[in-house]
Amino acid sequence: MTTKAKKLMMRMKIKNELARQCLGEIIGTFVLLLFGCAGAAQVKTGRDMRGHFLSANMSFAVGVMSAMYLCMGVSGAHLNPAVSLSFCVLGQLPWKKLLPYSLAQVLGAYLASAVVYVMYYDAIMNYSGGVLTVFGPNETASIFATYPAEGVSIQTNVFDQVVGTATLLLCILPLSDKRNRPAPEALLPPIVGAVVLGIGMTMSSNCGGAINPARDLGPRLFTFTAGWGVEVFTCFDYFFWVPIVAPLVGALLGACFYLVFIQWHLPDLEPEINSQKEFTEFTNEKQLEAKEEFHVKIASL
């Protein structure tokens, strides 16, 4: 790389840390929804001839994995306001970053939906007969946002999203917990992708398995502005709030379950030793503790 190119790169580099992190969340969530919505569009418009239930879920799993590899080093690859909220509660993310992170994630999901719409415009129009609707056998709104299955109550949908998101957090929190048995950092994306695939394969028949407010709200906003109209919010007795609110509650419950059942009972980490002096002090301290424990046992006899 030439000196001029390096200087130009340094000038273009964003100095503000939060701005860099938001850019990471935008492009990360964009990639996640690009895979996910494109997979759903291919299955829907192909009338199950170019993919099935499994391929739609796998597209989201691959999207999660790819997005995490892409932006994990910049923003932590939350990709989900529910995950960001739980990290704030656990002290792993400052509260002042919660709203910017969430807005960035919604924006990334919105932009990905727009790209998928343009990519599959002809197929969507052929499938729907040119009528963009939420209801009927040729509806296409479910390519982008999630909607409930017929006959499923609102209470069941809420419970579904709470349990699904709680499961997500319960499974991903130990992966980076140094007091537990953390996974190698390079393997985090495929493991999280596998967790998302498992949830999608087992907990998505009731209402689409959003488990991510940005994954649902961003595409829903896009369909509202792209021609599906206000029905995307009013249909099914204003169902739209369920995949926004319920995952937030589920994430908090999942984080609490991990704390109460696992993290509080893990052994403390041994202090890191960076020099010979610290090693000697640490060894002396351990020997002193052992002697004191021995004297206590003798005294008790």
Side-chain angles (χ1 to χ4, degrees):
M1 185 180 293
T2 64
T3 304
K4 291 184 178 180
K6 288 183 178 180
K7 288 182 179 180
L8 179 61
M9 184 181 68
M10 293 304 295
R11 289 178 182 177
M12 294 180 64
K13 184 177 180 179
I14 298 175
K15 302 294 190 296
N16 185 278
E17 180 188 36
L18 180 57
R20 295 198 303 268
Q21 292 171 332
C22 287
L23 285 177
E25 289 297 305
I26 290 173
I27 193 64
T29 314
F30 175 87
V31 168
L32 165 59
L33 269 296
L34 182 64
F35 275 98
C37 289
Q42 183 165 298
V43 172
K44 171 72 76 172
T45 60
R47 301 183 187 274
D48 291 332
M49 298 295 291
R50 298 172 184 170
H52 301 280
F53 179 74
L54 175 61
S55 59
N57 282 286
M58 287 188 68
S59 65
F60 274 103
V62 172
V64 168
M65 181 182 69
S66 303
M68 288 187 67
Y69 275 125
L70 176 64
C71 66
M72 189 165 56
V74 176
S75 65
H78 294 184
L79 313 173
N80 184 340
V83 172
S84 298
L85 175 62
S86 66
F87 282 4
C88 287
V89 172
L90 296 173
Q92 299 179 19
L93 181 73
W95 281 97
K96 65 180 181 180
K97 294 185 178 182
L98 177 59
L99 182 60
Y101 262 59
S102 301
L103 292 176
Q105 292 154 0
V106 172
L107 177 58
Y110 183 98
L111 295 175
S113 301
V115 171
V116 171
Y117 176 71
V118 174
M119 184 187 303
Y120 280 92
Y121 177 80
D122 293 337
I124 290 173
M125 289 302 167
N126 289 333
Y127 179 86
S128 64
V131 179
L132 302 179
T133 180
V134 179
F135 300 101
N138 293 329
E139 63 81 20
T140 48
S142 61
I143 290 174
F144 301 96
T146 61
Y147 295 90
E150 292 185 10
V152 181
S153 68
I154 194 72
Q155 294 89 343
T156 299
N157 289 324
V158 171
F159 185 73
D160 176 284
Q161 287 298 285
V162 169
V163 173
T165 316
T167 303
L168 174 67
L169 268 295
L170 194 60
C171 292
I172 68 174
L173 286 177
L175 298 178
S176 57
D177 189 346
K178 294 181 179 179
R179 293 175 58 198
N180 205 327
R181 291 178 180 254
E185 188 172 353
L187 293 180
L188 289 179
I191 295 174
V192 176
V195 171
V196 171
L197 176 60
I199 294 173
M201 291 296 295
T202 58
M203 306 182 198
S204 62
S205 64
N206 284 329
C207 55
I211 62 172
N212 181 343
R215 173 264 174 275
D216 188 86
L217 181 59
R220 195 178 297 274
L221 288 171
F222 171 76
T223 52
F224 170 70
T225 58
W228 278 265
V230 73
E231 277 189 345
V232 299
F233 289 102
T234 60
C235 65
F236 300 103
D237 294 327
Y238 295 88
F239 166 82
F240 80 93
W241 66 270
V242 174
I244 298 175
V245 177
L248 298 176
V249 177
L252 294 177
L253 285 177
C256 290
F257 287 155
Y258 181 71
L259 288 176
V260 173
F261 286 91
I262 302 296
Q263 193 181 67
W264 290 350
H265 314 292
L266 294 172
D268 293 331
L269 286 173
E270 295 289 352
E272 294 184 5
I273 300 172
N274 300 319
S275 67
Q276 182 63 34
K277 182 180 179 181
E278 290 181 356
F279 176 76
T280 303
E281 292 176 352
F282 176 74
T283 303
N284 292 337
E285 183 179 346
K286 286 293 184 182
Q287 290 176 348
L288 182 60
E289 291 178 357
K291 289 180 180 179
E292 291 178 352
E293 184 178 354
F294 175 74
H295 290 314
V296 168
K297 290 181 178 179
I298 293 298
S300 64
L301 293 176

PDB file of all heavy atoms in Angstrom, residues 286-301:
ATOM      1  N   LYS A 286      -0.431 -17.372  48.058  1.00  0.00           N
ATOM      2  CA  LYS A 286      -1.056 -18.684  48.119  1.00  0.00           C
ATOM      3  C   LYS A 286      -0.487 -19.529  49.262  1.00  0.00           C
ATOM      4  O   LYS A 286      -1.220 -20.235  49.964  1.00  0.00           O
ATOM      5  CB  LYS A 286      -0.858 -19.417  46.786  1.00  0.00           C
ATOM      6  CG  LYS A 286      -1.730 -18.902  45.646  1.00  0.00           C
ATOM      7  CD  LYS A 286      -3.194 -19.190  45.929  1.00  0.00           C
ATOM      8  CE  LYS A 286      -4.078 -18.791  44.773  1.00  0.00           C
ATOM      9  NZ  LYS A 286      -5.509 -19.037  45.063  1.00  0.00           N
ATOM     10  N   GLN A 287       0.829 -19.445  49.473  1.00  0.00           N
ATOM     11  CA  GLN A 287       1.455 -20.198  50.552  1.00  0.00           C
ATOM     12  C   GLN A 287       0.954 -19.704  51.912  1.00  0.00           C
ATOM     13  O   GLN A 287       0.704 -20.501  52.820  1.00  0.00           O
ATOM     14  CB  GLN A 287       2.975 -20.078  50.462  1.00  0.00           C
ATOM     15  CG  GLN A 287       3.581 -20.809  49.270  1.00  0.00           C
ATOM     16  CD  GLN A 287       5.074 -20.603  49.151  1.00  0.00           C
ATOM     17  OE1 GLN A 287       5.652 -19.724  49.824  1.00  0.00           O
ATOM     18  NE2 GLN A 287       5.720 -21.382  48.291  1.00  0.00           N
ATOM     19  N   LEU A 288       0.815 -18.379  52.038  1.00  0.00           N
ATOM     20  CA  LEU A 288       0.324 -17.808  53.285  1.00  0.00           C
ATOM     21  C   LEU A 288      -1.108 -18.268  53.561  1.00  0.00           C
ATOM     22  O   LEU A 288      -1.463 -18.606  54.702  1.00  0.00           O
ATOM     23  CB  LEU A 288       0.394 -16.277  53.218  1.00  0.00           C
ATOM     24  CG  LEU A 288      -0.053 -15.523  54.481  1.00  0.00           C
ATOM     25  CD1 LEU A 288       0.810 -15.916  55.686  1.00  0.00           C
ATOM     26  CD2 LEU A 288       0.010 -14.013  54.258  1.00  0.00           C
ATOM     27  N   GLU A 289      -1.955 -18.276  52.510  1.00  0.00           N
ATOM     28  CA  GLU A 289      -3.330 -18.738  52.676  1.00  0.00           C
ATOM     29  C   GLU A 289      -3.363 -20.204  53.087  1.00  0.00           C
ATOM     30  O   GLU A 289      -4.175 -20.612  53.921  1.00  0.00           O
ATOM     31  CB  GLU A 289      -4.109 -18.539  51.369  1.00  0.00           C
ATOM     32  CG  GLU A 289      -4.369 -17.075  51.026  1.00  0.00           C
ATOM     33  CD  GLU A 289      -5.093 -16.943  49.694  1.00  0.00           C
ATOM     34  OE1 GLU A 289      -5.321 -17.982  49.048  1.00  0.00           O
ATOM     35  OE2 GLU A 289      -5.420 -15.806  49.312  1.00  0.00           O
ATOM     36  N   ALA A 290      -2.470 -21.004  52.508  1.00  0.00           N
ATOM     37  CA  ALA A 290      -2.418 -22.428  52.856  1.00  0.00           C
ATOM     38  C   ALA A 290      -1.999 -22.613  54.310  1.00  0.00           C
ATOM     39  O   ALA A 290      -2.550 -23.464  55.021  1.00  0.00           O
ATOM     40  CB  ALA A 290      -1.448 -23.144  51.918  1.00  0.00           C
ATOM     41  N   LYS A 291      -1.023 -21.820  54.779  1.00  0.00           N
ATOM     42  CA  LYS A 291      -0.590 -21.923  56.172  1.00  0.00           C
ATOM     43  C   LYS A 291      -1.706 -21.528  57.123  1.00  0.00           C
ATOM     44  O   LYS A 291      -1.942 -22.187  58.144  1.00  0.00           O
ATOM     45  CB  LYS A 291       0.627 -21.033  56.405  1.00  0.00           C
ATOM     46  CG  LYS A 291       1.907 -21.550  55.752  1.00  0.00           C
ATOM     47  CD  LYS A 291       3.063 -20.616  56.040  1.00  0.00           C
ATOM     48  CE  LYS A 291       4.358 -21.122  55.392  1.00  0.00           C
ATOM     49  NZ  LYS A 291       5.492 -20.200  55.648  1.00  0.00           N
ATOM     50  N   GLU A 292      -2.405 -20.438  56.801  1.00  0.00           N
ATOM     51  CA  GLU A 292      -3.501 -19.994  57.654  1.00  0.00           C
ATOM     52  C   GLU A 292      -4.598 -21.050  57.718  1.00  0.00           C
ATOM     53  O   GLU A 292      -5.169 -21.318  58.780  1.00  0.00           O
ATOM     54  CB  GLU A 292      -4.066 -18.676  57.121  1.00  0.00           C
ATOM     55  CG  GLU A 292      -3.116 -17.486  57.281  1.00  0.00           C
ATOM     56  CD  GLU A 292      -3.689 -16.222  56.698  1.00  0.00           C
ATOM     57  OE1 GLU A 292      -4.750 -16.304  56.037  1.00  0.00           O
ATOM     58  OE2 GLU A 292      -3.097 -15.143  56.905  1.00  0.00           O
ATOM     59  N   GLU A 293      -4.896 -21.668  56.589  1.00  0.00           N
ATOM     60  CA  GLU A 293      -5.910 -22.718  56.562  1.00  0.00           C
ATOM     61  C   GLU A 293      -5.463 -23.922  57.395  1.00  0.00           C
ATOM     62  O   GLU A 293      -6.265 -24.534  58.117  1.00  0.00           O
ATOM     63  CB  GLU A 293      -6.167 -23.138  55.112  1.00  0.00           C
ATOM     64  CG  GLU A 293      -7.289 -24.156  54.968  1.00  0.00           C
ATOM     65  CD  GLU A 293      -7.551 -24.510  53.534  1.00  0.00           C
ATOM     66  OE1 GLU A 293      -6.938 -23.885  52.636  1.00  0.00           O
ATOM     67  OE2 GLU A 293      -8.370 -25.429  53.297  1.00  0.00           O
ATOM     68  N   PHE A 294      -4.174 -24.242  57.369  1.00  0.00           N
ATOM     69  CA  PHE A 294      -3.637 -25.357  58.145  1.00  0.00           C
ATOM     70  C   PHE A 294      -3.767 -25.070  59.635  1.00  0.00           C
ATOM     71  O   PHE A 294      -4.186 -25.927  60.425  1.00  0.00           O
ATOM     72  CB  PHE A 294      -2.169 -25.582  57.755  1.00  0.00           C
ATOM     73  CG  PHE A 294      -1.489 -26.639  58.594  1.00  0.00           C
ATOM     74  CD1 PHE A 294      -1.759 -27.995  58.405  1.00  0.00           C
ATOM     75  CD2 PHE A 294      -0.588 -26.274  59.595  1.00  0.00           C
ATOM     76  CE1 PHE A 294      -1.139 -28.965  59.182  1.00  0.00           C
ATOM     77  CE2 PHE A 294       0.030 -27.228  60.373  1.00  0.00           C
ATOM     78  CZ  PHE A 294      -0.243 -28.585  60.159  1.00  0.00           C
ATOM     79  N   HIS A 295      -3.405 -23.818  60.025  1.00  0.00           N
ATOM     80  CA  HIS A 295      -3.501 -23.451  61.453  1.00  0.00           C
ATOM     81  C   HIS A 295      -4.935 -23.502  61.948  1.00  0.00           C
ATOM     82  O   HIS A 295      -5.216 -23.888  63.094  1.00  0.00           O
ATOM     83  CB  HIS A 295      -2.901 -22.064  61.671  1.00  0.00           C
ATOM     84  CG  HIS A 295      -1.391 -22.036  61.514  1.00  0.00           C
ATOM     85  ND1 HIS A 295      -0.559 -22.972  62.086  1.00  0.00           N
ATOM     86  CD2 HIS A 295      -0.586 -21.156  60.850  1.00  0.00           C
ATOM     87  CE1 HIS A 295       0.715 -22.684  61.794  1.00  0.00           C
ATOM     88  NE2 HIS A 295       0.711 -21.584  61.029  1.00  0.00           N
ATOM     89  N   VAL A 296      -5.869 -23.083  61.079  1.00  0.00           N
ATOM     90  CA  VAL A 296      -7.277 -23.119  61.489  1.00  0.00           C
ATOM     91  C   VAL A 296      -7.720 -24.552  61.723  1.00  0.00           C
ATOM     92  O   VAL A 296      -8.442 -24.861  62.670  1.00  0.00           O
ATOM     93  CB  VAL A 296      -8.141 -22.432  60.399  1.00  0.00           C
ATOM     94  CG1 VAL A 296      -9.632 -22.709  60.642  1.00  0.00           C
ATOM     95  CG2 VAL A 296      -7.881 -20.951  60.360  1.00  0.00           C
ATOM     96  N   LYS A 297      -7.306 -25.468  60.842  1.00  0.00           N
ATOM     97  CA  LYS A 297      -7.671 -26.872  60.999  1.00  0.00           C
ATOM     98  C   LYS A 297      -7.066 -27.450  62.279  1.00  0.00           C
ATOM     99  O   LYS A 297      -7.731 -28.209  62.999  1.00  0.00           O
ATOM    100  CB  LYS A 297      -7.192 -27.677  59.790  1.00  0.00           C
ATOM    101  CG  LYS A 297      -7.971 -27.372  58.508  1.00  0.00           C
ATOM    102  CD  LYS A 297      -7.469 -28.219  57.355  1.00  0.00           C
ATOM    103  CE  LYS A 297      -8.272 -27.948  56.087  1.00  0.00           C
ATOM    104  NZ  LYS A 297      -7.777 -28.752  54.936  1.00  0.00           N
ATOM    105  N   ILE A 298      -5.795 -27.107  62.593  1.00  0.00           N
ATOM    106  CA  ILE A 298      -5.157 -27.581  63.822  1.00  0.00           C
ATOM    107  C   ILE A 298      -5.902 -27.053  65.028  1.00  0.00           C
ATOM    108  O   ILE A 298      -6.127 -27.778  66.021  1.00  0.00           O
ATOM    109  CB  ILE A 298      -3.689 -27.151  63.846  1.00  0.00           C
ATOM    110  CG1 ILE A 298      -2.902 -27.874  62.732  1.00  0.00           C
ATOM    111  CG2 ILE A 298      -3.074 -27.446  65.201  1.00  0.00           C
ATOM    112  CD1 ILE A 298      -2.879 -29.395  62.876  1.00  0.00           C
ATOM    113  N   ALA A 299      -6.251 -25.764  64.982  1.00  0.00           N
ATOM    114  CA  ALA A 299      -6.930 -25.164  66.126  1.00  0.00           C
ATOM    115  C   ALA A 299      -8.303 -25.808  66.362  1.00  0.00           C
ATOM    116  O   ALA A 299      -8.745 -25.962  67.502  1.00  0.00           O
ATOM    117  CB  ALA A 299      -7.102 -23.666  65.898  1.00  0.00           C
ATOM    118  N   SER A 300      -8.952 -26.217  65.285  1.00  0.00           N
ATOM    119  CA  SER A 300     -10.265 -26.814  65.423  1.00  0.00           C
ATOM    120  C   SER A 300     -10.169 -28.199  66.069  1.00  0.00           C
ATOM    121  O   SER A 300     -11.139 -28.682  66.653  1.00  0.00           O
ATOM    122  CB  SER A 300     -10.951 -26.901  64.049  1.00  0.00           C
ATOM    123  OG  SER A 300     -10.218 -27.764  63.198  1.00  0.00           O
ATOM    124  N   LEU A 301      -8.999 -28.847  65.941  1.00  0.00           N
ATOM    125  CA  LEU A 301      -8.837 -30.155  66.557  1.00  0.00           C
ATOM    126  C   LEU A 301      -8.658 -30.032  68.073  1.00  0.00           C
ATOM    127  O   LEU A 301      -8.937 -30.960  68.814  1.00  0.00           O
ATOM    128  CB  LEU A 301      -7.611 -30.857  65.951  1.00  0.00           C
ATOM    129  CG  LEU A 301      -7.756 -31.238  64.460  1.00  0.00           C
ATOM    130  CD1 LEU A 301      -6.442 -31.826  63.951  1.00  0.00           C
ATOM    131  CD2 LEU A 301      -8.889 -32.240  64.280  1.00  0.00           C
TER     132      LEU A 301
END
